[in-house]
Amino acid sequence: MRENLTYERFGGAIRELAQTIADDGYEPDIVLSIARGGVFVAGGLAYALDCKNIHLVNVEFYTGVGTTLEMPVMLAPVPNAIDFSKKKVLIADDVADTGKTLKLVHDFCLGTVAEVRSAVVYEKSHSLVKCEYVWKRTDDWINFPWSVEPPVVRRENQVLDA
């Protein structure tokens, strides 16, 4: 089974997710995007929540469809944790699949930030991390609109879309 998310449906999902966050009273000072899929989520949430401070962290984990490294790794440049000092941070990603990537970024924030919460479009039941804000729960493979088509060019030594 596959979950097919279109750009139009994604727009509605982000608005609903943002409304859930707003209704909960959480007002992040920073939206921290997990690249690459989280970039789309973070941008939409930041606009909807009127948060102008967006940071990005690059994490490598998927090496292909259904294949991963043993553990995720942050790639340079790693954000300076001091920039998050005493801030309320909202971590944004497209999916909490294994949860390992979210856990890595969440743990990176701990001890520095005032508060950290996570928002994802999809969360799978086997995820190590249970996010505070989830648009939909599924265990199906998700076809995201930005990754369902192959790249226009294929570059050597790049992580394949997963």
Side-chain angles (χ1 to χ4, degrees):
M1 293 289 298
R2 290 188 180 254
E3 173 80 22
N4 290 302
L5 184 66
T6 63
Y7 275 113
E8 183 177 346
R9 195 162 166 231
F10 172 73
I14 292 301
R15 294 296 294 187
E16 289 175 29
L17 192 55
Q19 189 64 60
T20 300
I21 296 165
D23 290 348
D24 192 41
Y26 192 63
E27 296 179 351
D29 300 306
I30 296 169
V31 177
L32 178 58
S33 167
I34 299 177
R36 290 184 300 182
V39 171
F40 304 98
V41 178
L45 289 177
Y47 268 103
L49 296 172
D50 198 26
C51 179
K52 295 186 185 226
N53 198 351
I54 299 176
H55 284 260
L56 178 106
V57 62
N58 288 295
V59 179
E60 184 173 15
F61 186 47
Y62 281 90
T63 55
V65 175
T67 59
T68 65
L69 299 173
E70 188 173 320
M71 292 300 296
V73 256
M74 285 190 186
L75 303 176
V78 174
N80 189 338
I82 195 87
D83 292 339
F84 303 158
S85 181
K86 305 206 184 320
K87 304 277 194 244
K88 292 194 301 186
V89 175
L90 179 66
I91 299 170
D93 205 358
D94 52 358
V95 60
D97 191 337
T98 66
K100 291 180 180 179
T101 299
L102 277 162
K103 182 173 179 355
L104 175 71
V105 176
H106 186 272
D107 290 352
F108 170 78
C109 292
L110 286 180
T112 303
V113 304
E115 188 175 0
V116 61
R117 297 185 188 180
S118 299
V120 294
V121 179
Y122 292 100
E123 183 181 86
K124 298 199 176 182
S125 63
H126 56 262
S127 174
L128 296 172
V129 173
K130 299 304 176 198
C131 298
E132 289 81 3
Y133 307 108
V134 177
W135 177 68
K136 186 175 180 184
R137 288 176 173 80
T138 184
D139 284 324
D140 293 340
W141 183 261
I142 303 142
N143 290 328
F144 288 101
W146 48 84
S147 62
V148 73
E149 295 289 329
V152 174
V153 296
R154 179 68 70 192
R155 296 174 48 197
E156 297 279 328
N157 302 316
Q158 295 292 311
V159 175
L160 299 176
D161 280 328

